[in-house]
């Protein structure tokens, strides 16, 4: 299929588009991959339905966009360490990803995106919400935008993956290891300029952002809380209803997401790969 003719249907005002007519298990042309990447950057999260992906095919598709991350705290599949199985068993109370966040913001470089494939979906519930942090930034007043542009924020996996953290409660069904004492901190600008589009987005999130650089946690709290409240305004969101074989591919540099936990007693099984940015050396070589 010609990449330039990808059929794209927007799903909400701020972000999100469904793409049809692409088989993600196939050896797609460079042109189609470029069109998918452009759609990702433009729509921030893109959706595909009716896919049939083995873990190896999901890895192969993900690698077309960059190197794949091996999660430091969640075990991958034995034969495919890049593939995380996100499972909620009927008896589990807590789900993985059940709070607003941007994947892996505790790493030194912002992740390009995550590709989530639905294997088993509850009869009802288990949707995922997405929120455009570009739209959230654009809706701020000029004065606050100017203040935030001068700030960096400190991100860490400690709270989320420590013994009392949300994700750590998934230790049994997903082999989550404890981060306490081992998680480093990463510092990112609060306003991230998208490296591909130049569009600005807020890059702080409730799961991993601890404080502003040079500010105490206590001083940071009121402004962070304000931003977290602002950034999840319904006007900036879209919602995806999964079916087995659905795929969502979101851009972690401009989107938050939230896995809803509203299907007690049912099983949900997803597989995720996460695309890292190219290492700096490769980027320089590519630029000549
Ligand atoms: C995640 O946070 O990556 C999980 C999202 C989901 O399961 O819907």
């Amino acid at each position: 299929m010609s990449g330039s003719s990808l059929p794209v249907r927007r799903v909400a005002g701020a972000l999100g588009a469904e793409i049809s007519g692409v088989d993600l298990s196939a050896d797609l042309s460079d042109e189609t991959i470029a069109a998918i990447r452009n759609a990702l950057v433009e729509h921030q999260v893109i959706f595909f339905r009716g896919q049939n992906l083995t873990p190896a095919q999901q890895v192969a598709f993900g690698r077309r966009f960059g190197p794949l991350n091996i999660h430091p705290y969640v075990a991958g599949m034995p034969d495919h360490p890049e593939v995380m199985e996100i499972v909620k068993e009927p008896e589990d109370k807590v789900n993985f990803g059940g709070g607003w966040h941007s994947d892996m913001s505790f790493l030194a470089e912002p992740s390009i995106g995550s590709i989530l494939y639905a294997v088993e979906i509850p009869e009802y519930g288990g949707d995922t919400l997405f929120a455009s942090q570009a739209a959230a930034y654009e809706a701020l007043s000029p004065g606050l935008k100017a203040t935030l542009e001068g700030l960096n924020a400190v991100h860490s996996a400690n709270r989320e993956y420590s013994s009392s953290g949300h994700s750590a409660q998934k230790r049994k069904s997903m082999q989550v290891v404890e981060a306490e004492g081992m998680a480093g901190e990463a510092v990112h600008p609060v306003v991230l300029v998208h490296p591909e589009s130049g569009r600005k987005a807020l890059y702080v999130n409730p799961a991993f952002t601890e404080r502003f650089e040079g500010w105490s946690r206590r001083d940071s709290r009121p402004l962070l809380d304000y931003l977290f409240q602002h950034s999840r305004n319904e006007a900036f969101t879209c919602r995806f209803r999964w079916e087995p074989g659905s795929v969502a591919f979101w851009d972690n540099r401009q989107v938050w997401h939230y896995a809803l936990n509203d299907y007690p007693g049912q099983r949900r099984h997803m597989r995720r790969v996460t695309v890292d940015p190219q290492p700096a050396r490769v980027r320089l070589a590519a630029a000549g």
Side-chain angles (χ1 to χ4, degrees):
M1 113 152 312
S2 149
S4 53
S5 63
L6 285 181
V8 169
R9 186 180 62 83
R10 289 180 61 175
V11 303
L15 79 171
E18 201 164 310
I19 296 181
S20 51
V22 191
D23 174 2
L24 303 184
S25 70
D27 184 16
L28 296 170
S29 67
D30 290 345
E31 192 192 11
T32 301
I33 293 293
I36 292 174
R37 192 170 183 124
N38 288 341
L40 174 72
V41 172
E42 180 180 349
H43 298 290
Q44 306 169 63
V45 54
I46 49 179
F47 307 108
F48 304 84
R49 295 205 181 263
Q51 303 294 320
N52 195 357
L53 289 180
T54 63
Q57 288 166 334
Q58 188 174 355
V59 165
F61 175 65
R63 283 205 180 122
R64 300 293 298 275
F65 299 91
L68 297 186
N69 179 265
I70 297 192
H71 201 288
Y73 309 117
V74 183
M77 295 179 81
D79 294 341
H80 299 284
E82 312 90 339
V83 182
M84 265 168 58
E85 299 224 69
I86 298 181
V87 179
K88 182 169 182 261
E89 299 292 358
E91 63 276 15
D92 287 350
K93 297 279 177 272
V94 173
N95 69 333
F96 183 84
W100 285 114
H101 65 287
S102 143
D103 289 331
M104 321 300 293
S105 76
F106 51 85
L107 297 182
E109 286 214 48
S111 149
I112 289 186
S114 300
I115 302 170
L116 189 65
Y117 172 66
V119 179
E120 190 178 339
I121 291 300
E123 203 181 308
Y124 53 82
D127 297 0
T128 305
L129 308 178
F130 298 90
S132 168
Q133 297 309 291
Y137 168 78
E138 285 156 11
L140 295 172
S141 59
L144 183 50
K145 280 181 182 162
T147 302
L148 295 176
E149 293 207 21
L151 294 178
N152 292 319
V154 177
H155 299 236
S156 160
N158 254 330
R159 241 176 329 127
E160 188 65 21
Y161 289 99
S162 67
S163 52
S164 56
H166 184 88
S167 296
Q169 295 176 56
K170 293 295 301 166
R171 192 157 291 134
K172 222 171 79 207
S173 51
M174 284 184 54
Q175 300 183 46
V176 174
V177 300
E178 192 171 321
E180 216 141 41
M182 53 197 254
E185 291 185 337
V187 176
H188 300 293
V190 170
V191 178
L192 200 68
V193 179
H194 197 286
E196 291 167 67
S197 67
R199 193 173 178 192
K200 292 178 180 173
L202 287 174
Y203 195 67
V204 287
N205 68 84
F208 302 124
T209 309
E210 305 256 323
R211 59 189 169 82
F212 297 109
E213 188 183 41
W215 296 29
S216 67
R217 277 167 206 267
R218 205 177 78 152
D219 288 351
S220 302
R221 205 66 261 157
L223 182 51
L224 280 179
D225 284 345
Y226 173 75
L227 293 175
F228 295 160
Q229 176 75 27
H230 166 80
S231 294
R232 57 175 190 252
N233 184 306
E234 322 67 271
F236 312 144
T237 67
C238 72
R239 176 173 182 146
F240 188 58
R241 171 72 197 142
W242 296 92
E243 296 161 355
S246 300
V247 170
F249 187 175
W250 60 86
D251 185 333
N252 282 309
R253 300 161 295 186
Q254 44 181 346
V255 166
W256 279 0
H257 59 284
Y258 189 134
L260 290 176
N261 186 10
D262 56 354
Y263 49 100
Q266 300 186 70
R267 188 171 200 271
R268 183 175 182 270
H269 177 190
M270 321 291 276
R271 292 196 185 117
R272 188 182 101 189
V273 296
T274 305
V275 184
D276 278 343
Q278 297 284 352
R281 255 179 307 130
V282 175
R283 276 206 311 265
L284 285 176

